[in-house]
Amino acid sequence: MKKDAKISNAVIKRLPRYRRYLKELQKKGVDKISSNEFSSLIGYTASQIRQDLNNFGGFGQQGYGYNVEGLYNEISAILGLDKEYKMVIVGAGNLGQAIANHTYYYKAGFVVCGIFDINPRLIGLKINDIEVMDYETIVDYVEQNQIDIGIICTTKDSAQEVADKLCFAGVRGLWNFAPIDLEVPEYVAVENVHLSDSLHSLAYHMNRNYEEKEKAAEK
Amino acid sequence: MKKDAKISNAVIKRLPRYRRYLKELQKKGVDKISSNEFSSLIGYTASQIRQDLNNFGGFGQQGYGYNVEGLYNEISAILGLDKEYKMVIVGAGNLGQAIANHTYYYKAGFVVCGIFDINPRLIGLKINDIEVMDYETIVDYVEQNQIDIGIICTTKDSAQEVADKLCFAGVRGLWNFAPIDLEVPEYVAVENVHLSDSLHSLAYHMNRNYEEKEKAAEK
DNA sequence: TAGATTGTTAATCGATTAACAATC
DNA sequence: TAGATTGTTAATCGATTAACAATC
């Protein structure tokens, strides 16, 4: 890492995308790529690509470009994907179950260790080999198993209470699927997946596209 | 609507959030709110709130503030939430099923009409009263039922092919859960939910927070 | 009318793009 | 060495914040 200045979130949000494209290139057996070639592939300007990467260090080589495998590994390390994360899911409803079943996360170093719910009918159930446990026991479990991430798949009404408990028990990050903005201690990272917000902005863009089409048709 | 200039996506992304907070205020029986009060609640500056809202028209009143219910309705209309949208889900795996079961969307005017899959073992199944149909028949279905939105819950390898078919059949928007960037005609809106990207940026922030904590401890 | 608060213009800040010297 | 392409500084663009006149 090169500079110590805070890196903007806009840059961070682009890193997983860089990484995805680099993975594809690797699969295709591509060894090296210039910022220009990468630009026409990924759709960011070459300038932005170089600027982004230089926030973390000089990964390229003048006159050559970037080594695909090397850059992939660097970005993985920057994101912290060379580590393993232990996670618990709170809420064994549809979404919680879907995430528990999504074995991708396991492969990628994100291990779902347990699922918690208050519903007695769900407690004891096994989802993808992971037991649904009683929410009452979550603090002990998180402490004893050194859980890193809590995944909140509850309703919005219980989400803050769950977040408080998880933070108290020692998680370092929350992946929040409840449609609410959580308050957490500053050392806990929160990443929101607000599905309804996402759907609403889709609706907006659909209607704008429609309006434009209408307007174009008038001419 | 006041101006005709293109409104930046940053503004649009904030609208669903304004709307959520306004809904809560309404529930609490709050009639009016000033940009300053709203600011301390939602965390945007009062200036930004006024600036954002004025992209669409003057919804406030000098010396008074904004009418909560009125503003809620205005934002709903801007987003297009006064309309109904017919949707199909492609991919009846965990995620597809979770979304189909999430009746929230139905209540909010987003109606899941059908689910499609290529797996013969899933075809015929009923999920939340919605039948899983053969993917082969999707183009006819979308055309005949005038489906507005396609929800892509397939693997990344089939996602583009599915997108092509849905666009050809006439959807106006795609809600894409596959970890890939889709190419679509310009009049089709795409909203991505890249869950793994989201998890990766969570990992980044967790590690940065940890580093800062370490650094603080050194002092 | 006086006070409050918006709507809107101007100033600032930050992020993106362009340019080019450094260097492989 | 000559050509290519990065790393980095400077210029531009856009988004956020501040200020204040308009007005309820």
Side-chain angles (χ1 to χ4, degrees), chain A residues 8 14 45 47-48 50-51 61-63:
Chain A
S8 87
R14 284 192 289 270
T45 63
S47 216
Q48 179 158 68
R50 295 201 300 276
Q51 198 75 281
Q61 196 172 340
Q62 280 103 328

Side-chain angles (χ1 to χ4, degrees), chain B residues 99-118:
Chain B
I99 291 170
N101 276 317
H102 214 290
T103 46
Y104 160 80
Y105 300 120
Y106 177 72
K107 281 184 287 173
F110 295 89
V111 183
V112 177
C113 299
I115 310 174
F116 292 84
D117 207 294
I118 45 160

